[in-house]
Amino acid sequence: MAVTHEDIRPTISLDGARKARGNLTQARIRWMVLALVLGFGLVGARLVQLGMVEVDSRIEGQTRDAITATRPPILDRNGLEMAVDIRVPSLYAEPRRIIDVEEAVQKLRTVLPNLSEDWLRNRLSGDKGFVWVQRELSPSIQERIMRLGIPGIDFITESKRFYPGMSEASHILGSTNIDNQGISGIEKHMDNEAVALLQELGLARGNALTPVELSVDMRVQHVMHEQVLDAMTRYKAIAAAGVMMDIYTGEIVALASVPDFDPNDPKTALVKDTFNRITAGIFEPGSIFKTVTIAGALDSGSVRITDRFDARFGIRFGRFTISDFHGKNRILSLPEVYKFSSNIGTIRIMQAMGKENFRSFLTRVGFDTRVDFELPEMRLPTVPKDFSEVGAATASFGHGLSVSPLHMVTAYASFVNGGNYISPTLYKRDVAEAEPLYRRVLQPETSDAIRYLMRLNALEGSGSQMNKAALGYRTGGKTGTAEKVVDGRYSSSKVTNFFASAFPLDNPRYAMVIMVDEPKAENPQSGTTAGWNAGAITGRVVQRIAPMLGIAPNFSEILDKNLVPRVLR
């Protein structure tokens, strides 16, 4: 078949137009694909860029987790709450969102008139994303502010520490700052251990934290706090303090020091003289230190309980003569040296031991070092490294050196528990856990002799006021009346008094030290020495707490006779 020109032209024209349109479509598709790729690329790049930006979630220097973090409840040994977290609203502002600063200032001051107008105006001005206005408000204040309807003003729910016992255990618990961080006491110790880390990791939220159980018995703590507080009124003292320790576990059962503070209002801790005298105060201990000297001498074998010492005359050191406060001016047996609190007899006992051995014994009992204890408020004793003859003599009866009451109660615990030094603790610890930590400082027979001497002093010596108040709870101990240094000289009118004790001495379980700073006579018939105040307080504390601790009174003289060493019966 012949193909004419007319037959071919339309076909060529059709193919060319179709091809041109196809090319155009492909070009458009390519441009669209390219545009899509570029678009997605830009979006992806932006997403990557945004992903690399570190979002500032901090609130005026702190993370939100830290602000809202909680602390574990603190319980006493019987499960009573000593410290808990409560939830409180805190007011903050976002200045960049506040439309009318002046209006916001005036409205806020109708509810919070304590805020300075200028301070608040400066606070709410500018382009900041977050500023605190006032923290730890009451729910009623929060509601009143919310009704104001100010844009850029809102609340964060924070944790605030609450101490139900108020000041009763303030020196044990310490306190926290406005960011709920421990700043003193066991609260600070807990932060140093683990709580701060949990808060930093954001794990300390809500009520998930396991409660911390302390060794403290709040029933005993209440009595101890009440009695030392009473001492300031009864004896017109400038301060008083007391501590009680389980002699086998090292657990601190009670610890109080007044003047004290309310941990719910931490700024009250800044008031003068509110420091913890049990751990952060060091004092010349006076005659309670004679127990240390005699324990060391007996244990060294230098002296025996049956030995006698010449106390007829004072002992001269150069121009000075050391005498007894109530001198018997005769030869005294060792128990009489203790019972009459003879300085002369104690010096002779120390001299029999030798001043180097005496100094070494002080190291053995821990008077050179800080007591291993949880509270950060602690002072080191001041005990001369080497004793002169007169320095050793005065140190033997508790002068010329200074130690804390915590050092003394720890030493006394070791003297009556069979001779084992155990560091005190504020955490619960049973005997099985404590025994591997024991460090022997006395032989058991020396410990028995010290228990006898302490009970003897309660029955016949300066501890009689204490024994009378203890009402049959077989307590024993030693008085200490230390003259204070005023203007470089010892003052006979200003003294620090101590009574170091243990009970019940037929089956000892607890050691205690009570101190009263600058007491006055309670009445014209009483005195200012330690037996009248620190001793009497000890008796009153024992009389009230012994039933709580399951200890029954026993007036049987047989138990006292059983404490007498066989060589003296």
Side-chain angles (χ1 to χ4, degrees), residues 1-4 7:
M1 185 178 65
V3 178
T4 65
D7 295 332

Side-chain angles (χ1 to χ4, degrees), residues 300-340:
S300 70
S302 308
V303 300
R304 295 169 297 178
I305 195 84
T306 53
D307 285 351
R308 301 169 72 81
F309 301 90
D310 188 350
R312 292 175 296 172
F313 312 104
I315 301 177
R316 288 189 64 84
F317 293 93
R319 296 183 292 112
F320 302 100
T321 300
I322 298 176
S323 303
D324 285 341
F325 187 65
H326 294 297
K328 299 300 175 185
N329 304 314
R330 63 177 173 85
I331 293 174
L332 301 175
S333 67
L334 189 146
E336 287 177 324
V337 168
Y338 194 78
K339 182 174 70 175
F340 297 135

Side-chain angles (χ1 to χ4, degrees), residues 14 24 93 107 160 178 190 259 295 346 349 366 400 422 426 508 526 530 535:
L14 181 61
L24 180 60
K107 282 186 174 180
K160 174 181 170 60
I178 199 167
M190 285 163 49
T346 306
I349 289 171
I422 176 70
L426 278 172
S526 63

Side-chain angles (χ1 to χ4, degrees), residues 96-116:
R96 68 179 61 159
R97 292 185 53 223
I98 294 178
I99 300 170
D100 187 334
V101 172
E102 197 58 35
E103 180 189 35
V105 169
Q106 298 307 322
K107 282 186 174 180
L108 282 174
R109 290 196 75 248
T110 61
V111 181
L112 302 172
N114 57 311
L115 297 181
S116 159

Side-chain angles (χ1 to χ4, degrees), residues 317-474:
F317 293 93
R319 296 183 292 112
F320 302 100
T321 300
I322 298 176
S323 303
D324 285 341
F325 187 65
H326 294 297
K328 299 300 175 185
N329 304 314
R330 63 177 173 85
I331 293 174
L332 301 175
S333 67
L334 189 146
E336 287 177 324
V337 168
Y338 194 78
K339 182 174 70 175
F340 297 135
S341 198
S342 169
N343 294 337
I344 299 170
T346 306
I347 293 172
R348 297 207 184 282
I349 289 171
M350 182 278 298
Q351 289 174 333
M353 182 184 184
K355 66 184 179 70
E356 287 78 18
N357 291 334
F358 173 56
R359 184 63 187 82
S360 297
F361 183 69
L362 301 189
T363 299
R364 198 195 317 171
V365 187
F367 289 119
D368 288 329
T369 56
R370 170 195 169 99
V371 176
D372 185 14
F373 192 53
E374 290 84 8
L375 294 187
E377 299 80 20
M378 183 78 69
R379 281 191 66 187
L380 281 170
T382 57
V383 181
K385 288 185 178 178
D386 298 298
F387 283 136
S388 62
E389 292 297 328
V390 66
T394 57
S396 71
F397 56 88
H399 286 262
L401 47 76
S402 296
V403 300
S404 72
L406 187 66
H407 280 86
M408 290 307 304
V409 77
T410 307
Y412 267 73
S414 67
F415 293 165
V416 296
N417 73 359
N420 298 302
Y421 184 96
I422 176 70
S423 294
T425 181
L426 278 172
Y427 292 123
K428 292 179 78 172
R429 181 165 67 195
D430 59 28
V431 175
E433 292 169 321
E435 282 180 341
L437 306 175
Y438 282 178
R439 178 168 56 81
R440 181 161 291 285
V441 294
L442 292 181
Q443 296 304 310
E445 53 270 25
T446 308
S447 177
D448 291 343
I450 294 298
R451 285 166 51 196
Y452 157 68
L453 292 174
M454 290 171 65
R455 183 59 183 156
L456 175 70
N457 193 49
L459 294 172
E460 302 176 9
S462 59
S464 58
Q465 291 291 332
M466 178 279 304
N467 193 50
K468 182 180 176 183
L471 296 179
Y473 285 107
R474 195 150 280 97

Side-chain angles (χ1 to χ4, degrees), residues 1-22:
M1 185 178 65
V3 178
T4 65
H5 177 72
E6 290 77 7
D7 295 332
I8 296 173
R9 183 179 297 171
T11 303
I12 295 172
S13 175
L14 181 61
D15 288 347
R18 189 178 297 160
K19 187 174 181 180
R21 285 197 298 273

Side-chain angles (χ1 to χ4, degrees), residues 124-177:
L124 302 185
S125 302
D127 195 34
K128 290 184 178 177
F130 183 100
V131 294
W132 286 119
V133 178
Q134 187 154 335
R135 300 173 72 176
E136 298 182 355
L137 298 169
S138 67
S140 63
I141 294 288
Q142 180 188 27
E143 184 178 348
R144 290 174 60 191
I145 294 174
M146 289 177 70
R147 286 179 181 172
L148 297 176
I150 307 171
I153 295 290
D154 207 344
F155 293 88
I156 285 179
T157 301
E158 292 191 89
S159 295
K160 174 181 170 60
R161 208 56 161 166
F162 177 64
Y163 304 89
M166 311 296 277
S167 62
E168 209 158 71
S170 56
H171 286 298
I172 295 171
L173 295 167
S175 57
T176 58
N177 62 16

